Amino acid sequence: MANLSIQLYTLREESKTDFEGVLRFCSEQGFQGVEFAGFYGNDKETVKGWLDKYNLTVTSAHVPLEEMQ
């Protein structure tokens, strides 16, 4: 079975107020991966902890080219 990922930009409004809840929701819905569209004010260590807690992997990131360079 293929891994299923979700683009978190589609949940951007919810992510602004409860980013951990969004990650939990994605996991509960059967997603194994997420594509980031920012961390919504959370530090990378906290986000990594939530990813581990909800068994999610990062499949890609929605960021401007300038940030990648």
Side-chain angles (χ1 to χ4, degrees), residues 16-65:
K16 291 176 185 176
T17 58
D18 186 11
F19 194 43
E20 180 184 10
V22 166
L23 295 175
R24 180 178 56 249
F25 173 79
C26 292
S27 178
E28 290 170 349
Q29 298 309 305
F31 292 100
Q32 294 93 28
V34 294
E35 177 189 52
F36 280 112
F39 288 169
Y40 302 95
N42 298 284
D43 61 66
K44 63 184 178 184
E45 292 81 12
T46 299
V47 173
K48 172 69 167 107
W50 291 336
L51 292 171
D52 292 344
K53 181 177 180 179
Y54 301 115
N55 298 310
L56 293 168
T57 59
V58 179
T59 55
S60 61
H62 184 97
V63 297
L65 178 61

Side-chain angles (χ1 to χ4, degrees), residues 4-23:
L4 186 61
S5 294
I6 184 168
Q7 184 183 47
L8 292 177
Y9 184 76
T10 61
L11 298 167
R12 64 191 171 279
E13 294 303 317
E14 296 83 358
S15 294
K16 291 176 185 176
T17 58
D18 186 11
F19 194 43
E20 180 184 10
V22 166
L23 295 175

